[in-house]
Amino acid sequence: MKFMATKPPSPPPTPPSRAPARDDGDSVVMERRPQKTQPPQMYQVVMLNDDYTPMEFVIVVLQEFFSKDREAATQIMLKIHLDGKGVCGVYTRDVAATKVEQVLDAALKAGHPLQCVSEPVE
Ligand code: TYC
């Protein structure tokens, strides 16, 4: 008795799309792949309000570590003061972590309880 194969033979594998596909002539065609690289996850540095850190110190920190001019730094400081927290800037993970370190270090050295954290942006 003869048995039939249950599956038809599969087609030959397609060549990798990066490989040059040759046509009948001598020309070489390079195929373009769609861009797959994702943008990096971004992190926002959030500063928290407290009752003891002087407003002026927060303004100077925002100018020094977050490159804000005095006007923008004052607005951010006031937002934090009124709302309890505020975003100082958005960066890649390592840069955000460095900013947090710089702020905490400056606050510690000056004897202020200023706190800030970094968190992933949605
Ligand atoms: N609330 C502080 C005060 O009245 C000022 C302040 C603002 C502190 C922002 C921390 O992240 C802060 N002196």
Side-chain angles (χ1 to χ4, degrees), residues 46-59 62 76-82 84-86 88 113-116:
V46 177
M47 198 172 281
L48 308 176
N49 188 37
D50 66 70
D51 292 337
Y52 305 101
T53 303
M55 290 182 173
E56 181 60 27
F57 182 81
V58 177
I59 293 170
L62 288 164
I76 295 170
M77 182 280 296
L78 284 174
K79 191 213 178 291
I80 301 166
H81 178 71
L82 296 172
K85 63 181 181 176
C88 307
L114 182 62
Q115 292 295 308
C116 77

Side-chain angles (χ1 to χ4, degrees), residues 3-113:
F3 293 97
M4 297 262 298
T6 52
K7 275 194 207 162
S10 46
T14 50
S17 61
R18 271 266 180 224
R22 291 183 181 278
D23 65 9
D24 288 343
D26 279 343
S27 58
V28 174
V29 178
M30 297 299 292
E31 291 178 15
R32 191 186 294 277
R33 274 190 180 173
Q35 178 62 265
K36 275 201 221 137
T37 310
Q38 299 296 316
Q41 169 72 59
M42 300 302 279
Y43 288 73
Q44 56 189 16
V45 176
V46 177
M47 198 172 281
L48 308 176
N49 188 37
D50 66 70
D51 292 337
Y52 305 101
T53 303
M55 290 182 173
E56 181 60 27
F57 182 81
V58 177
I59 293 170
V60 170
V61 160
L62 288 164
Q63 288 181 269
E64 190 163 325
F65 300 128
F66 298 94
S67 307
K68 305 297 180 190
D69 62 27
R70 181 142 186 111
E71 178 61 29
T74 304
Q75 292 305 315
I76 295 170
M77 182 280 296
L78 284 174
K79 191 213 178 291
I80 301 166
H81 178 71
L82 296 172
D83 296 352
K85 63 181 181 176
V87 176
C88 307
V90 176
Y91 309 94
T92 53
R93 187 179 61 177
D94 289 359
V95 174
T98 299
K99 304 274 179 198
V100 169
E101 243 178 54
Q102 288 173 323
V103 171
L104 298 181
D105 187 53
L108 196 69
K109 284 183 175 139
H112 301 311

